[in-house]
Amino acid sequence: MPGVRPGHFRERRVNAREQAHRDGVALLARRLVERDEQTADDRPDPEVWAAAVLTELTGFGWRPTAARTNTWQPRPGRQPADPQTARAYAAGIRARLHPGGNDDQEN
């Protein structure tokens, strides 16, 4: 993209992830302080409290899933398809998207 320096989008993802981490820590700290300020009789069951905090974190975009590799990056030991194979796949995709349409388009 013109005017966008290399690494810009990766830095935005990292910054967003760091901000989400800070927000999650702040939320959990705030909820712990609120819980600790309650008398023992008023405190909710620990499992109920934990479930409520996790639900709130999920609402802010936190997700308890394992990190996945970026599938758009080449994996070690895998070679990209040769140009002829890539063109054949592209032609097959175009044929499925536009049945009986323009087969003469080549990108």
Side-chain angles (χ1 to χ4, degrees):
M1 291 175 57
V4 176
R5 62 182 171 68
H8 171 74
F9 294 110
R10 186 180 94 37
E11 289 173 14
R12 284 182 55 190
R13 271 194 319 271
V14 169
N15 291 339
R17 188 171 40 242
E18 289 172 354
Q19 183 62 46
H21 179 83
R22 285 190 298 271
D23 291 346
V25 168
L27 171 75
L28 184 54
R30 190 170 53 249
R31 295 295 175 246
L32 280 168
V33 168
E34 290 172 359
R35 182 177 165 268
D36 289 346
E37 289 175 347
Q38 294 175 330
T39 63
D41 293 335
D42 291 336
R43 285 187 190 154
D45 178 69
E47 287 185 19
V48 172
W49 179 84
V53 171
L54 286 178
T55 300
E56 194 169 356
L57 285 170
T58 303
F60 285 112
W62 179 81
R63 49 192 183 102
T65 58
R68 290 182 255 156
T69 59
N70 184 350
T71 57
W72 293 99
Q73 298 296 322
R75 294 187 181 138
R78 295 181 87 187
Q79 297 298 319
D82 62 275
Q84 184 177 356
T85 303
R87 281 197 279 290
Y89 284 135
I93 291 168
R94 276 192 220 95
R96 288 182 181 92
L97 290 173
H98 308 288
N102 296 334
D103 292 338
D104 58 349
Q105 292 182 355
E106 183 78 27
N107 290 333

mmCIF file of all heavy atoms in Angstrom, residues 24 27 50-65:
data_model
loop_
_atom_site.group_PDB
_atom_site.id
_atom_site.type_symbol
_atom_site.label_atom_id
_atom_site.label_comp_id
_atom_site.label_asym_id
_atom_site.label_seq_id
_atom_site.Cartn_x
_atom_site.Cartn_y
_atom_site.Cartn_z
ATOM 1 N N GLY A 24 -6.905 -6.106 30.336
ATOM 2 C CA GLY A 24 -7.287 -7.310 31.065
ATOM 3 C C GLY A 24 -6.720 -7.332 32.471
ATOM 4 O O GLY A 24 -7.412 -7.686 33.435
ATOM 5 N N LEU A 27 -8.648 -4.797 34.563
ATOM 6 C CA LEU A 27 -9.973 -5.301 34.925
ATOM 7 C C LEU A 27 -9.875 -6.318 36.056
ATOM 8 O O LEU A 27 -10.609 -6.233 37.042
ATOM 9 C CB LEU A 27 -10.646 -5.938 33.704
ATOM 10 C CG LEU A 27 -11.942 -6.690 34.014
ATOM 11 C CD1 LEU A 27 -13.061 -5.699 34.280
ATOM 12 C CD2 LEU A 27 -12.292 -7.630 32.908
ATOM 13 N N ALA A 50 -15.057 -16.133 39.507
ATOM 14 C CA ALA A 50 -14.093 -16.350 38.421
ATOM 15 C C ALA A 50 -14.802 -16.449 37.070
ATOM 16 O O ALA A 50 -14.336 -15.895 36.069
ATOM 17 C CB ALA A 50 -13.274 -17.608 38.690
ATOM 18 N N ALA A 51 -15.941 -17.141 37.044
ATOM 19 C CA ALA A 51 -16.696 -17.258 35.791
ATOM 20 C C ALA A 51 -17.187 -15.898 35.321
ATOM 21 O O ALA A 51 -17.164 -15.593 34.119
ATOM 22 C CB ALA A 51 -17.870 -18.213 35.969
ATOM 23 N N ALA A 52 -17.616 -15.057 36.260
ATOM 24 C CA ALA A 52 -18.075 -13.712 35.895
ATOM 25 C C ALA A 52 -16.928 -12.872 35.334
ATOM 26 O O ALA A 52 -17.104 -12.148 34.352
ATOM 27 C CB ALA A 52 -18.698 -13.026 37.108
ATOM 28 N N VAL A 53 -15.744 -12.972 35.943
ATOM 29 C CA VAL A 53 -14.590 -12.216 35.447
ATOM 30 C C VAL A 53 -14.195 -12.705 34.051
ATOM 31 O O VAL A 53 -13.930 -11.904 33.145
ATOM 32 C CB VAL A 53 -13.405 -12.310 36.434
ATOM 33 C CG1 VAL A 53 -12.134 -11.721 35.825
ATOM 34 C CG2 VAL A 53 -13.735 -11.600 37.736
ATOM 35 N N LEU A 54 -14.171 -14.022 33.845
ATOM 36 C CA LEU A 54 -13.829 -14.554 32.516
ATOM 37 C C LEU A 54 -14.856 -14.124 31.470
ATOM 38 O O LEU A 54 -14.496 -13.805 30.334
ATOM 39 C CB LEU A 54 -13.732 -16.077 32.560
ATOM 40 C CG LEU A 54 -12.488 -16.629 33.233
ATOM 41 C CD1 LEU A 54 -12.526 -18.154 33.258
ATOM 42 C CD2 LEU A 54 -11.233 -16.144 32.543
ATOM 43 N N THR A 55 -16.130 -14.093 31.843
ATOM 44 C CA THR A 55 -17.166 -13.643 30.919
ATOM 45 C C THR A 55 -16.944 -12.177 30.545
ATOM 46 O O THR A 55 -17.062 -11.802 29.372
ATOM 47 C CB THR A 55 -18.559 -13.829 31.545
ATOM 48 O OG1 THR A 55 -18.740 -15.211 31.838
ATOM 49 C CG2 THR A 55 -19.647 -13.348 30.614
ATOM 50 N N GLU A 56 -16.593 -11.370 31.526
ATOM 51 C CA GLU A 56 -16.337 -9.955 31.256
ATOM 52 C C GLU A 56 -15.108 -9.784 30.372
ATOM 53 O O GLU A 56 -15.109 -8.982 29.436
ATOM 54 C CB GLU A 56 -16.163 -9.192 32.568
ATOM 55 C CG GLU A 56 -16.218 -7.708 32.397
ATOM 56 C CD GLU A 56 -16.312 -6.967 33.716
ATOM 57 O OE1 GLU A 56 -16.411 -7.598 34.782
ATOM 58 O OE2 GLU A 56 -16.282 -5.724 33.667
ATOM 59 N N LEU A 57 -14.064 -10.555 30.629
ATOM 60 C CA LEU A 57 -12.860 -10.491 29.786
ATOM 61 C C LEU A 57 -13.185 -10.908 28.349
ATOM 62 O O LEU A 57 -12.701 -10.306 27.393
ATOM 63 C CB LEU A 57 -11.758 -11.381 30.356
ATOM 64 C CG LEU A 57 -11.040 -10.858 31.586
ATOM 65 C CD1 LEU A 57 -10.157 -11.940 32.186
ATOM 66 C CD2 LEU A 57 -10.212 -9.633 31.236
ATOM 67 N N THR A 58 -14.016 -11.937 28.211
ATOM 68 C CA THR A 58 -14.412 -12.392 26.874
ATOM 69 C C THR A 58 -15.162 -11.290 26.143
ATOM 70 O O THR A 58 -14.984 -11.103 24.942
ATOM 71 C CB THR A 58 -15.283 -13.658 26.980
ATOM 72 O OG1 THR A 58 -14.553 -14.651 27.696
ATOM 73 C CG2 THR A 58 -15.649 -14.193 25.609
ATOM 74 N N GLY A 59 -15.969 -10.531 26.866
ATOM 75 C CA GLY A 59 -16.686 -9.408 26.264
ATOM 76 C C GLY A 59 -15.753 -8.331 25.745
ATOM 77 O O GLY A 59 -16.097 -7.580 24.842
ATOM 78 N N PHE A 60 -14.558 -8.261 26.313
ATOM 79 C CA PHE A 60 -13.566 -7.294 25.849
ATOM 80 C C PHE A 60 -12.662 -7.871 24.761
ATOM 81 O O PHE A 60 -11.687 -7.246 24.358
ATOM 82 C CB PHE A 60 -12.696 -6.809 27.017
ATOM 83 C CG PHE A 60 -13.405 -5.843 27.911
ATOM 84 C CD1 PHE A 60 -13.732 -6.185 29.203
ATOM 85 C CD2 PHE A 60 -13.757 -4.588 27.455
ATOM 86 C CE1 PHE A 60 -14.390 -5.298 30.034
ATOM 87 C CE2 PHE A 60 -14.413 -3.695 28.267
ATOM 88 C CZ PHE A 60 -14.737 -4.044 29.559
ATOM 89 N N GLY A 61 -12.945 -9.088 24.299
ATOM 90 C CA GLY A 61 -12.179 -9.664 23.211
ATOM 91 C C GLY A 61 -11.150 -10.698 23.615
ATOM 92 O O GLY A 61 -10.504 -11.298 22.768
ATOM 93 N N TRP A 62 -10.974 -10.930 24.916
ATOM 94 C CA TRP A 62 -10.044 -11.969 25.338
ATOM 95 C C TRP A 62 -10.615 -13.317 24.970
ATOM 96 O O TRP A 62 -11.812 -13.554 25.078
ATOM 97 C CB TRP A 62 -9.845 -11.880 26.850
ATOM 98 C CG TRP A 62 -8.914 -12.912 27.400
ATOM 99 C CD1 TRP A 62 -7.553 -12.874 27.388
ATOM 100 C CD2 TRP A 62 -9.263 -14.143 28.038
ATOM 101 N NE1 TRP A 62 -7.043 -13.990 27.987
ATOM 102 C CE2 TRP A 62 -8.079 -14.786 28.397
ATOM 103 C CE3 TRP A 62 -10.476 -14.745 28.346
ATOM 104 C CZ2 TRP A 62 -8.049 -16.007 29.038
ATOM 105 C CZ3 TRP A 62 -10.449 -15.964 28.987
ATOM 106 C CH2 TRP A 62 -9.253 -16.586 29.327
ATOM 107 N N ARG A 63 -9.769 -14.223 24.512
ATOM 108 C CA ARG A 63 -10.265 -15.553 24.176
ATOM 109 C C ARG A 63 -9.301 -16.601 24.693
ATOM 110 O O ARG A 63 -8.091 -16.494 24.486
ATOM 111 C CB ARG A 63 -10.494 -15.730 22.690
ATOM 112 C CG ARG A 63 -9.363 -15.310 21.849
ATOM 113 C CD ARG A 63 -9.747 -15.243 20.380
ATOM 114 N NE ARG A 63 -8.541 -14.898 19.675
ATOM 115 C CZ ARG A 63 -7.810 -15.754 19.009
ATOM 116 N NH1 ARG A 63 -8.178 -16.994 18.884
ATOM 117 N NH2 ARG A 63 -6.692 -15.382 18.437
ATOM 118 N N PRO A 64 -9.828 -17.587 25.372
ATOM 119 C CA PRO A 64 -8.975 -18.612 25.968
ATOM 120 C C PRO A 64 -8.610 -19.719 24.984
ATOM 121 O O PRO A 64 -8.903 -20.882 25.192
ATOM 122 C CB PRO A 64 -9.844 -19.149 27.109
ATOM 123 C CG PRO A 64 -11.230 -18.996 26.596
ATOM 124 C CD PRO A 64 -11.218 -17.744 25.763
ATOM 125 N N THR A 65 -7.993 -19.359 23.889
ATOM 126 C CA THR A 65 -7.599 -20.354 22.894
ATOM 127 C C THR A 65 -6.095 -20.299 22.700
ATOM 128 O O THR A 65 -5.457 -19.277 22.941
ATOM 129 C CB THR A 65 -8.284 -20.106 21.537
ATOM 130 O OG1 THR A 65 -7.937 -18.784 21.102
ATOM 131 C CG2 THR A 65 -9.781 -20.226 21.644
#
